[in-house]
Amino acid sequence: MPGCLVRAALAAAAVAGLTTPATAADGPGPALRTVATDEALRSRLDAFVRGRLEATGTPGAALAVVEGGRVVHQRGFGEDGRGRAVTPDTPFLWGSVSKPVTGLAVMQQVEAGRVDLDAPVRRYLPWFRLADQDVSDRITVRHLLTNTSGIPASASGEIGDRYDNAPGALAHAARDLAKIAPAAGPGEVYAYSSAGYAVLGVLVEEVSGRPFGAYLHEKVFDPLGMDHAVATVRDFERERVAPGHRSVFGATVPFDAPYDTSGVPYGHVGGTVRDLTRFTLAQLDGGRLDGRRVLSAKGTAETQRGHVESDVDRFGLGWSVGTLQGTGERMVWKAGSLPGHDAMVIMLPDSDRAVIALQNAFHLLRADEFHDAAFGVARMLSGVEPGTTSTDPTATVLPWAMAALAALLLLCVAAPALRRLPGRRAAARARSRRRIVATTTSTVAAALTLAALLWWLPSTLGGTVEMALLWLPDLGRGLVAAIGLALLLAVERTALAALDLRRRRSGDSGDSGDRAGRARTVVRARPARTTERRPI
């Protein structure tokens, strides 16, 4: 939640927008395959997706393929979290695919003249600040959109995943950034930040005068015909979004989380694969669908342009921009994940194609395997091998290793019970004061150091213990148990040492008294000397 734990990352995404298989410009691939007219290809695509679902233990998914400005293939696989068959009308949550939606909303306000991309955020949100006021004053809207604001990746764990649906939840989360120290100055480094997108959602609320979810319906979803899109708790309940699934020691288990209004701008937009396909169609046609425009062609191109170098490819205004591995085709894409859900949009603008895949399960340590479904289909459309990612042994070993560590610590805590055996009691009494102090000091120091390391490890990749519990429940619970037992061991050994030393002092005093008493007894028992007179 993991150096090992943090491979969990408690790589964070923190929290969402996760690493995908490396992309490279390998040169143009074979000629474009036409899904619309090739039934055999459609069957192979479906078979490939089924195989990926089996490999990751994902119960259900939905797939859509776009060619030439229209949907040419769309279908569901498996079951949702309530046992119903997944169809193109089954709702999912989209994770960080919400970020391009937020990017579109911000650009709408730019084109309306209400927002300047290069103006300080504080012009629109005077209360906005990080722990460093000077840095806060210099953060612009563009910095937030491109993840170059200086807000650390760890801030996503600090203010995200609150599942807060109270009025003003989004603004409350953004205000909590005031306690976060910046990792760098604005524009200096790239750091993926869901927290920055939370601020952008509040900015849209402020300049539009509308709650963010209501704004999205009015200005994005309704014009694009995204009839089942989710951006409010009411939408979530109306669409009856089924539970997603997490992995617990290799078993796929449902995770019925509530909605999170405080997380809509960066991760909690949702809807059916039909809804996300309509959003994608508008992106491919310069911000327009069925004669209705939500953004100018120029503004749409600006969101899809790679503005800065990121951890993977370049990053635009909500989108990642790179090339599709094995084909060299320009690719505009976004991965998004939540505990229990995974989403992918891959657009290939030069050939007017796109792949959309939604899944109702996710495992943070196996993110590449989940993303293989969409990337593989995109490569198959170009006639190249889809390729797959083998399971990282870490994903299997880490939860069990953490559970084993917790079990070992439990045995250490229980070990003093052995002192109740006569032999152990005698051995304990035989220890010198120096040995008691030395042994206890080393044990307590080791236990406290271990607890500190386990608590600190998630932060090295931008995560927290709380994120570990949410995203990797088996690993997170083992981590918490190990930390708790290490602390308990330190307390227990300190208390036992104090008791042993007190007993040792009492024993020493008793031994001295016994020796003195025995000496007095010997003196009293010694017969008095008498003088015997001999007769003359």
Side-chain angles (χ1 to χ4, degrees), residues 54-297:
E54 291 175 3
T56 57
T58 301
L63 172 72
V65 178
V66 169
E67 283 182 351
R70 65 191 184 96
V71 181
V72 294
H73 186 53
Q74 199 166 231
R75 67 158 303 158
F77 304 84
E79 297 180 341
D80 71 7
R82 297 191 179 99
R84 301 171 299 196
V86 172
T87 74
D89 295 313
T90 298
F92 295 76
L93 294 178
W94 300 348
S96 282
V97 175
S98 306
K99 290 181 173 69
V101 179
T102 298
L104 169 61
V106 172
M107 288 301 294
Q108 287 178 330
Q109 296 305 306
V110 170
E111 293 191 344
R114 300 189 186 96
V115 172
D116 181 344
L117 283 180
D118 297 307
V121 175
R122 286 173 56 84
R123 175 185 297 181
Y124 311 103
L125 301 173
W127 50 262
F128 168 72
R129 62 164 297 167
L130 305 180
D132 186 318
Q133 185 65 59
D134 176 64
V135 170
S136 308
D137 291 342
R138 294 184 286 119
I139 295 175
T140 67
V141 178
R142 190 187 300 273
H143 288 144
L144 293 178
L145 283 166
T146 57
N147 290 319
T148 57
S149 65
I151 297 175
S154 60
S156 301
E158 295 290 337
I159 77 163
D161 298 320
R162 297 183 171 202
Y163 298 101
D164 184 357
N165 295 299
L170 178 55
H172 292 157
R175 285 177 182 272
D176 282 349
L177 282 170
K179 62 186 178 184
I180 302 296
E188 293 180 1
V189 298
Y190 172 91
Y192 192 85
S193 175
S194 290
Y197 272 76
V199 176
L200 290 169
V202 183
L203 185 150
V204 171
E205 289 187 333
E206 181 65 25
V207 299
S208 69
R210 301 277 286 154
F212 189 67
Y215 176 90
L216 291 182
H217 275 286
E218 181 181 339
K219 298 297 185 180
V220 180
F221 301 156
D222 293 347
L224 295 180
M226 298 168 64
D227 297 333
H228 299 282
V230 173
T232 68
V233 67
R234 177 177 293 182
D235 297 336
F236 183 79
E237 293 169 353
R238 181 195 66 229
E239 298 300 328
R240 299 191 66 218
V241 178
H245 298 83
R246 300 182 297 181
S247 177
V248 178
F249 294 109
T252 300
V253 299
F255 179 54
D256 194 5
Y259 194 63
D260 188 2
T261 300
S262 68
V264 173
Y266 61 80
H268 281 264
V269 173
T272 68
V273 74
R274 295 188 195 276
D275 294 319
L276 189 49
T277 298
R278 293 189 67 79
F279 180 79
T280 304
L281 285 166
Q283 290 290 313
L284 286 170
D285 196 23
R288 179 181 58 188
L289 180 64
D290 296 340
R292 304 194 69 176
R293 181 172 292 282
V294 292
L295 192 65
S296 71

Side-chain angles (χ1 to χ4, degrees), residues 513-531:
D514 288 346
R515 287 194 295 270
R518 285 195 297 271
R520 287 193 296 271
T521 301
V522 169
V523 171
R524 286 196 300 269
R526 185 177 299 161
R529 290 186 178 182
T530 60
T531 302

Side-chain angles (χ1 to χ4, degrees), residues 29 72 115 123 125 150 271 310 351 358 372 386 454 461-462 481 504 521 528:
V72 294
V115 172
R123 175 185 297 181
L125 301 173
S310 71
S351 56
L358 302 176
D372 278 347
L454 292 174
L461 285 182
R504 182 79 187 179
T521 301

Side-chain angles (χ1 to χ4, degrees), residues 451-498:
L453 284 173
L454 292 174
W455 183 269
W456 167 78
L457 279 175
S459 68
T460 62
L461 285 182
T464 63
V465 172
E466 290 80 4
M467 288 178 66
L469 285 167
L470 182 62
W471 290 82
L472 299 163
D474 46 8
L475 189 59
R477 290 167 190 168
L479 177 67
V480 170
I483 292 172
L485 287 167
L487 294 174
L488 180 59
L489 179 63
V491 172
E492 176 197 61
R493 293 306 167 87
T494 301
L496 289 174

